[in-house]
Amino acid sequence: LPSSRKPGNENAPLPVRVLHNGGFQFRDARSCLKDADISTAYAKHGHYSPSGNAYIARCLLPAVEAAMK
């Protein structure tokens, strides 16, 4: 997360604060799209497109695999 959006920061989005305050481990999947073509990564109304979801899945796979060990 960018420094202004770190968990625990009162300026962080509400879902980030809730997860952090609840003690949950999480990753902000939006960071996985930093190198993606935004026009194809998102579908209408701001949801991820199938290709956006695939990009995120590939990005998060190493973290998920490590957490399962």
Side-chain angles (χ1 to χ4, degrees):
L1 293 171
S3 60
S4 65
R5 296 169 78 89
K6 284 184 181 176
N9 182 326
E10 64 276 357
N11 295 322
L14 179 60
V16 170
R17 293 193 317 260
V18 168
L19 291 169
H20 175 74
N21 292 339
F24 293 95
Q25 291 183 347
F26 64 95
R27 299 229 178 205
D28 186 350
R30 296 172 299 174
S31 65
C32 292
L33 297 175
K34 68 179 186 259
D35 297 325
D37 178 5
I38 298 302
S39 66
T40 60
Y42 288 92
K44 291 182 181 179
H45 308 295
H47 294 283
Y48 300 129
S49 68
S51 63
N53 280 316
Y55 208 95
I56 290 169
R58 284 189 301 273
C59 171
L60 295 179
L61 181 61
V64 172
E65 289 177 331
M68 293 175 65
K69 290 183 180 177

